[in-house]
Amino acid sequence: MLYNSLQFLLFFIFVTVLYWNIPNKYRWFLLLIASCYFYMAFVPIYIVILGFTIVIDYFAGIYIEKATSLRLRKVLLIISLTANIGVLAFFKYFNFLNSAFDGLLSYSSHHSPFPYLTFLLPIGLSFHTFQAMSYTIEVYRGNHKAEKHFGIYALYVMFYPQLVAGPIERPQNMLWQFHSNHKYDFENLKSGLMQMAFGLFKKVVIADRLAEIVDRAYANPSAQNGKTVLIVAILYSFQIYCDFSAYSDIGIGAARTMGFKLMDNFNMPYLSQSIGEFWRRWHISLSTWFRDYLYIPLGGSHVTTGKKYLNLIIVFLISGLWHGANVTFIIWGALHGILLILENIKNGIAGKSHKNNQPPFFVRALKTVGIFLLVTLAWIFFRSPDLKTAGIILGKIFSYSIAGPLNHDVANLSVLIFCFFVIAVMMIKEYFFLIIPTKNTFKFYFIFVSLLLLSYFFGVFNHKQFIYFQF
Amino acid sequence: MRKLSAYIVLVVVGLIYVAGCNQTITNKIQEYKAKDNPYLNSDRYRYGDLYGMSYLSYFRKSYNPGPPIKMIECSCTPKIDLYTVSDSYIWPAFTSKKYYYGVDKLDNLISSHHEKFKINLDSAKINVLMLEFTERNVAYMLEDEGYMDNILNAPDKDKKTESASQELNPQQIQAKSPGNKLSAILASIKQFRTVIFDYIFNININSNLEFNLTDNSILSPIKELKADMNYKLFNAVDDNVKISDKGDQLFYTPTVDTLDIMSAFRFISDKEKDTLVSRLNSIYFNYKKNGFARVYLTIVPNPISMLSPNYHSLTYNHLLERIQNSPSLKMPFINLLPVFSREKNRVYLKSDSHWNHNGASIWQKEFNSRLETLLKTGSK
């Protein structure tokens, strides 16, 4: 079920109104049924896969807690992780690995004996798999007690506002909330609705409008000139931000209307002055997941410099692969890893003496622009369907000529002016108010209704999926 | 009071949702809205199907379908049984045998992938099959194996369909082969699952809800305001619609998009064209063999092929001409190209992907002259 659809609007109203009008003890059940329905609205049968990992992890959690020997706990954790990663690997990476295998065998004039899978990737698989893994790891580490209530555990994995594209939550933040008795709070409702409305605005007015331009250019990159692809690359940076953060906004807002607080997933990432800072502001729930469950267990920064850099590269390569089974995602991850290593080396050379000195504004502004452009270049690999396309786009950018005309088949001037205007408005809004204040009820209604009207009149409603659904 | 309001919201929202999920209810609502009634009027098709997709106000004014299609006065004894396998150009307009010369029985068989054609021939009559495609659907239909299978098996389809449905009926399987209980149970589960999925997880729910909730003439001015603003500001129209360079004619996007199988600008090789011709011949010989006196082909030109073949400097594939001019084609055809290219501004609507009544009347005249000749010669 897409957040930017009439179906979701009715679903949300029905579930939220019912949620506040039934006794607390039945609410978990309502949310679980609603979440199952929400997920099944995409491809019903895939609920079985989700159910499989939920059952495995539920029992793994309980038995890990009960187990007295460390060895047994480790075995149970490995079983749980293997089940999760196995499902992920089978559905997401089988064809990729099979194709690589096929390529290898082709040197000896043979072909892979395994057939390619033809079914669709279960939606949001990487998200709920990672969320489920965070639970068993936390129980294994003793940071959280195993959840005894099967329904609540299932809800932890399936809670509809964050089921398909995060934020990837932790048991410490969510499980207690499912056990709590949420009291109706009009302020929460207003705040949640406002965040949802702004998310909808970002998705349909900005992201999907930009998508039209970007898709046209990427459909035929050879026909574009340097100026056009440079502008398109910049626009894609905002498209993916608005698309993904809109999903998070609507999800976080929907949860808030029912009294739940999900973690923030974005914090103005394009104002970062370093790649490290960018990753503390972009997709925060995934970055922290990799930090806590991969980077630190590998030794983190408390190892030799060489090992630390190796750890960084491993984390970013896996992060790339997490996004998709394609070499373009791996290169995207590798680029970020390399940039982060270079940044670490530069900081090491510069020493700690500069740490406390705030550079002047224009230096900070230049750094922000520089980091944005580096991130934008990396996004080219993320967006391109293959390396050839990425190569064409980069080739055009680096042979950029200011004299070249803009390709008006991709975007006309008025669309570009509109897009840059709404992006500027969004950035200013987010700089001053990450969440629009809603204390004043009159202002709330005015801004809320205005956002809905603007979304309707200037929005693109073509049932376009959120980019991160594919992951 | 809060509780009461909540229950009212739940009931109303729930009913709207259920109606959107249930295709039967939605179809009823659509039928009701399509009729002229004081409430819940739909403008979706009132001013042309492309207006209903784009909602550009300019095209609301320019709708003129032309004079109604005439019924035929015939003093002859009707002897022809006419079967038409056609798409939306023919079947909604030519609903009565009175539109055709000397036709005693008319059976409109819709060219849908899911329709099973059922033809029971009366050997005492002159049986005629009229196979009609729009230019955009020729490759789309003929390259579809399901369509070809349906149409090639149509003359004796009845029996096959019956036996196939018997195979799928779980009770009958159980009765006929007691050892095959598992298959019966699996078939029942499959049937149950299909019903449940159709009712609860209807994939058309969003378009159904959009139609049920917003397709109302009262709301059309708001939709027009949005469409006009987007067109004027961004030169953007609905994805399904393309607008002519002069801004006075709408075209259906699949007929323009070079990657779409329906496109008049998709590259079509000679090999692909030959395959299409060969499939037409298979249909022709199959029906002739099964007792049809005549099998006629009509391919109705796309509006864009006639009105704007150089749209945005794209290369028109001339598929219609290439099929009709192919020396291999055995099926007789009603050639609309000369008259349609001459009368191009009269035969299409500005805001519809179909022909108008003028175009339909031209085809009717051409086709009826064939029927008249046939009746006079008395050939079977």
Side-chain angles (χ1 to χ4, degrees), chain A residues 76 86-87 115 172 183 210 223 245 253 297 323 325 335 352 367 392:
Chain A
L76 288 166
V87 167
Q172 293 93 324
K183 298 267 184 258
L210 294 176
S245 68
H323 284 85
L335 278 175
K352 291 180 181 176
K367 272 180 156 184
I392 293 170

Side-chain angles (χ1 to χ4, degrees), chain A residues 225-434:
Chain A
N225 58 27
K227 186 186 271 180
T228 306
V229 289
L230 180 64
I231 289 173
V232 165
I234 290 169
L235 291 181
Y236 181 68
S237 295
F238 288 106
Q239 183 204 338
I240 193 166
Y241 170 65
C242 290
D243 192 280
F244 192 16
S245 68
Y247 184 90
S248 293
D249 280 340
I250 298 173
I252 293 168
R256 187 178 286 254
T257 59
M258 295 183 287
F260 292 91
K261 180 145 179 35
L262 301 183
M263 70 183 291
D264 288 329
N265 221 9
F266 293 91
N267 182 15
M268 297 173 288
Y270 293 144
L271 294 185
S272 306
Q273 291 176 46
S274 68
I275 292 293
E277 189 185 353
F278 174 79
W279 280 103
R280 289 191 294 277
R281 290 167 174 265
W282 175 273
H283 202 177
I284 298 165
S285 64
L286 181 71
S287 311
T288 50
W289 196 101
F290 276 118
R291 183 196 65 199
D292 295 345
Y293 301 126
L294 187 62
Y295 181 65
I296 292 174
L298 284 172
S301 53
H302 300 292
V303 285
T304 60
T305 311
K307 180 82 193 325
K308 181 181 147 187
Y309 295 159
L310 179 68
N311 291 344
L312 279 174
I313 275 290
I314 290 171
V315 168
F316 277 94
L317 283 176
I318 293 176
S319 168
L321 202 57
W322 178 90
H323 284 85
N326 193 333
V327 73
T328 51
F329 291 118
I330 297 172
I331 291 178
W332 170 78
L335 278 175
H336 273 277
I338 291 165
L339 287 170
L340 204 55
I341 290 168
L342 292 174
E343 198 168 273
N344 269 271
I345 293 169
K346 191 207 89 184
N347 289 344
I349 292 168
K352 291 180 181 176
S353 56
H354 291 289
K355 262 199 167 171
N356 297 327
N357 298 341
Q358 175 85 306
F361 173 78
F362 80 92
V363 175
R364 283 183 284 141
L366 269 180
K367 272 180 156 184
T368 302
V369 172
I371 292 300
F372 173 76
L373 290 176
L374 284 174
V375 170
T376 294
L377 285 179
W379 283 134
I380 290 170
F381 286 94
F382 194 92
R383 172 62 181 79
S384 298
D386 47 49
L387 281 180
K388 190 182 165 199
T389 307
I392 293 170
I393 300 267
L394 285 169
K396 299 262 181 185
I397 287 177
F398 288 111
S399 60
Y400 173 79
S401 157
I402 195 79
L406 193 69
N407 184 349
H408 291 290
D409 285 340
V410 170
N412 62 40
L413 200 60
S414 57
V415 179
L416 286 177
I417 291 169
F418 173 81
C419 287
F420 281 112
F421 173 73
V422 283
I423 287 167
V425 170
M426 176 202 68
M427 297 285 281
I428 291 166
K429 173 261 161 196
E430 294 204 343
Y431 184 78
F432 288 105
F433 312 103
L434 207 55

Side-chain angles (χ1 to χ4, degrees), chain A residues 7 37 209 414 456-457 459, chain B residues 6 17 200 206 226 230 233-234:
Chain A
Q7 183 185 18
Y37 183 79
R209 180 73 64 195
S414 57
Y456 173 73
F457 281 109
Chain B
Y17 197 95
I200 300 178
N206 277 308
K226 174 184 164 74
N230 278 270
L233 275 174
F234 311 128

Side-chain angles (χ1 to χ4, degrees), chain A residues 33 41 48 57 103 124 134 186 200 211 235 249 257 262 327 331 333 338 348 411 421 449 451 465 468:
Chain A
I33 295 292
V48 177
D57 295 329
S134 75
F186 187 52
L200 180 73
L235 291 181
D249 280 340
T257 59
L262 301 183
V327 73
I331 291 178
I338 291 165
F421 173 73
V449 172
L451 279 172
Q465 278 201 355
Y468 265 68

Side-chain angles (χ1 to χ4, degrees), chain A residues 33-46:
Chain A
I33 295 292
S35 300
C36 287
Y37 183 79
F38 179 86
Y39 190 72
M40 291 172 82
F42 294 107
V43 182
I45 197 70
Y46 285 156

